[in-house]
Amino acid sequence: MRVVMFGYQTWGHRTLRALLDSEHEVALVVTHPKSDHAYERIWADSVAELATEHGVEVVLANRPDDALTARLREVQPDLIVANNWRTWIPPEIFTLPTHGTLNVHDSLLPAYAGFSPLIWALVNGEREVGVTAHMMDGELDAGPIVLQKAVEVGPRDTATDLFHKTVDLIEPVVSESLAFIAAGRTDWTPQDRTKASFFHKRSLEDSRIDWTWPAADIERLVRAQSDPYPNAFTFYKGERIRVLEASVSQGRYGGTPGRVFIPEGKGVVIVAGADARFGRNHGLAIERVRTDDGTEYAATDFFTRMGGYLTSH
């Protein structure tokens, strides 16, 4: 088959690598220019550089336009494969190839369509994450499923751990999906739209800790914002601090959310939960923090006196 790829960052890089290693011809690669967005500087293996190394024509675009559509008509692809393409692909493009467009998405669709699925899934306490290959239709991440592979979320997994687990699924998912399509299969599985969810792109605001959340939810947020992602943050005495490691406290503590309360184990417990006044909640035991100047501290060294509050602003 004659294949065109739309993709960006490490997800697109792994997809292109699978295509280059296949028996199929990669006729054109479309990718985004480099970005200064905090989440797009992470896992930023260059699709353009890999394509150029293999002598494949590259088009840089933020979104498809008439010139790109015309070039695709000239290329006459049998299939488009997309992964981590950040803007809408219109019907005149995704329906252009003989076999349509295969989109590869790092969630177990129909759940977690849209952006940053691994982070949202970890924040929400999902037990599995994965990669889905599906045929593109007019609704984002909603087309019939060709292939899906899952991995378990461990009790201490970070978003970084889940990235490495799922990015290693991309090449087998792409390779197996290509084999199915080349063999003429079209018996794909429709998505159950009653189970669909759709999430927006994350920004720095989404890393701000809300101490009215239950401690278990905040602990997952901390793991979901592990290095190299922008860390979960809060403010103490007017200074922003990033929470690098934390756990749910063994004890239950009452009072006002955000109170710097008591040492426990190797951490310092912060009162958490909207109903903390009843005294039945576990708190968040902060274990390690980083200040804006990049200095890291054990929480017991940073919070040298109990009392005061961590605040959202």
Side-chain angles (χ1 to χ4, degrees), residues 120-140:
W120 290 113
L122 181 53
V123 168
N124 292 334
E126 301 293 349
R127 295 182 179 182
E128 286 187 325
V129 293
V131 171
T132 302
H134 70 95
M135 302 309 299
M136 189 174 287
D137 64 11
E139 188 175 350
L140 186 63

Side-chain angles (χ1 to χ4, degrees), residues 17 35 43 45-46 48 103 117 144 150 157 162 206 237 254 263 267:
R17 201 163 75 182
S35 170
W43 318 125
D45 292 304
S46 174
N103 186 54
D157 274 347
L162 298 182
D206 302 308
K237 297 181 178 179

